[in-house]
Amino acid sequence: MSISVAFVDDHPILLEGLVSLYSGKSDLEIVAKGENAVDALKIVEEFSPEVLVLDLSMPGDAIAAIELVAQKYKDTRIIVFTANSSIETAIQVLNYGVSGYVLKGSSASDLHEAIRTVYDGETFITAGFATKVIMAMKTAEIRRRSQAQRRLSLREEQIVRHLMRGSTNREIAACLDISEKTVKHYMTVLMQKLDVRNRVEVVLAAQRLDVLPDGSSERSAPRRVN
């Protein structure tokens, strides 16, 4: 049973070469070809290819087309076949639902393998480049988790904002209607959470890490009942 494939690329010679080359593969059936993002959407709607191979640098909004196909036509697997070796771009389209990212300059067998791999429900990224993409994604995930762990509670946000104004522990306690002992406790928690050693570094870390959401100073906290 052959895999239905469509190619979209704005370079006529390359496009014809892809169609000619892969039409000779017994396990592939080339059902359509196009030259831009609009063509890609029309092809998917009309021919429902099992694998869509498209370039990023073609006329129209290729990224938007990818996002729409991934959301609306889930039976079509998408392979980006491009000269764009930006790791950020690769991560972006993979997050949008692309199943394959193949760099131009790869061998014909690599693209053929990519088509078969994504058809089987797996992900294919050009060897070598894949390692960089995976490492970047892991780093981003570690950073995201670290930011989540450093997220401040409402009371911690309030104390940090008072620190930014230069308030003393006594002034903070009076303003928030809590004890100085409680303020010191929060200071210890903040230093541990932000991995710093003193109140000045708490402020610097909060600014650097951008852990204070917009408008948090306007949020009110429960007041202690005497």
Side-chain angles (χ1 to χ4, degrees):
M1 185 174 179
S2 59
I3 303 169
S4 59
V5 182
F7 290 104
V8 182
D9 196 295
D10 64 328
H11 292 86
I13 294 177
L14 176 59
L15 181 61
E16 292 302 327
L18 289 171
V19 172
S20 175
L21 176 64
Y22 293 101
S23 292
K25 303 294 183 181
S26 60
D27 58 340
L28 305 181
E29 178 188 3
I30 311 306
V31 295
K33 63 181 180 179
E35 300 177 355
N36 53 56
V38 174
D39 286 348
L41 294 175
K42 290 180 179 178
I43 286 170
V44 173
E45 183 176 357
E46 182 176 352
F47 297 96
S48 300
E50 291 165 312
V51 178
L52 173 67
V53 181
L54 80 168
D55 192 7
L56 287 179
S57 59
M58 58 186 178
D61 193 336
I63 299 293
I66 286 170
E67 192 173 9
L68 181 59
V69 171
Q71 291 176 353
K72 189 175 179 180
Y73 303 96
K74 300 194 181 292
D75 290 335
T76 296
R77 307 287 184 179
I78 305 169
I79 294 176
V80 167
F81 184 51
T82 180
N84 188 334
S85 59
S86 164
I87 294 174
E88 292 76 15
T89 300
I91 292 175
Q92 179 187 14
V93 296
L94 287 166
N95 286 334
Y96 280 160
V98 162
S99 299
Y101 199 94
V102 181
L103 294 178
K104 288 182 177 178
S106 300
S107 67
S109 60
D110 281 345
L111 184 54
H112 189 188
E113 181 183 355
I115 293 171
R116 294 208 57 85
T117 298
V118 302
Y119 172 76
D120 289 335
E122 300 177 17
T123 301
F124 184 98
I125 304 175
T126 296
F129 184 66
T131 302
K132 298 177 182 179
V133 172
I134 293 170
M135 289 302 298
M137 294 181 77
K138 285 182 177 179
T139 300
E141 176 63 15
I142 291 172
R143 187 181 300 114
R144 185 192 66 77
R145 291 181 181 179
S146 177
Q147 289 286 10
Q149 291 170 353
R150 288 171 172 166
R151 189 172 296 124
L152 305 185
S153 68
L154 171 58
R155 183 66 85 187
E156 290 166 350
E157 291 172 9
Q158 292 173 327
I159 289 175
V160 170
R161 290 193 180 278
H162 280 286
L163 290 174
M164 289 177 170
R165 301 186 190 111
S167 302
T168 65
N169 285 358
R170 178 175 296 183
E171 291 169 337
I172 294 173
C175 184
L176 298 181
D177 197 16
I178 57 179
S179 68
E180 284 190 62
K181 183 177 180 180
T182 300
V183 174
K184 290 179 181 178
H185 165 73
Y186 277 112
M187 287 299 303
T188 299
V189 172
L190 282 165
M191 285 187 282
Q192 292 175 344
K193 184 175 286 190
L194 299 176
D195 192 24
V196 296
R197 298 166 295 180
N198 55 56
R199 60 197 297 125
V200 174
E201 291 185 359
V202 167
V203 172
L204 294 175
Q207 293 174 327
R208 183 177 68 254
L209 298 171
D210 194 24
V211 294
L212 294 178
D214 292 340
S216 62
S217 60
E218 304 301 323
R219 295 158 59 191
S220 60
R223 297 177 66 82
R224 185 178 62 185
V225 177
N226 295 322

